[in-house]
Amino acid sequence: MIDTPLLGILNVPPGLLFGLPPAVIVLILLLWGIKEPLAWIVVSFLAIGIGIGCLVYGFSQAILLPDPWTAQAASDVSMYIGGGAGSSVGGIVLLIVSLVRRRKSPAPAVAVPSK
């Protein structure tokens, strides 16, 4: 019997199947955040937390790798570090945008004509 990958008939990699549902959930929360800024705050904290986790994992893997690095090992480590930094920066930007958007500007003063 031949060992076939997940959905081997369609040649769909399993990473896409595992990454698509969280991406759809984040997209729905971002669209909901247009109406309710609290959703953007929740998504930004999740992005910052996931980003810091990926950064720590990438740094620890860089420290624990054996001395002669292979190209694949360097690519994996840099992918975690870059993805973690990007996720953290994106979460911080989204947090700033959501907090600035929540703050209401004061209503302009209406000038009363004098006689």
Side-chain angles (χ1 to χ4, degrees), residues 4-5 9 18 26-27 29 32 37 39 46-47 56-57 60 64 73-74 77 80 82 103 106-107:
T4 59
I9 299 169
F18 293 128
V26 168
L27 181 65
L29 285 173
W32 183 40
L46 287 174
V56 168
Y57 182 76
S60 65
L64 296 175
V77 167
Y80 275 105
R103 193 172 46 177

Side-chain angles (χ1 to χ4, degrees), residues 36-100:
E36 183 65 40
L38 182 63
W40 280 359
I41 294 172
V42 170
V43 172
S44 67
F45 278 113
L46 287 174
I48 292 170
I50 290 170
I52 290 173
C54 286
L55 276 170
V56 168
Y57 182 76
F59 290 148
S60 65
Q61 288 300 311
I63 292 171
L64 296 175
L65 275 178
D67 199 19
W69 280 27
T70 62
Q72 180 65 35
S75 174
D76 289 343
V77 167
S78 64
M79 182 175 55
Y80 275 105
I81 293 173
S87 177
S88 295
V89 169
I92 291 169
V93 168
L94 185 62
L95 181 63
I96 291 171
V97 167
S98 68
L99 291 177
V100 167

Side-chain angles (χ1 to χ4, degrees), residues 104-112:
K104 303 286 186 195
S105 60
V110 178
V112 178

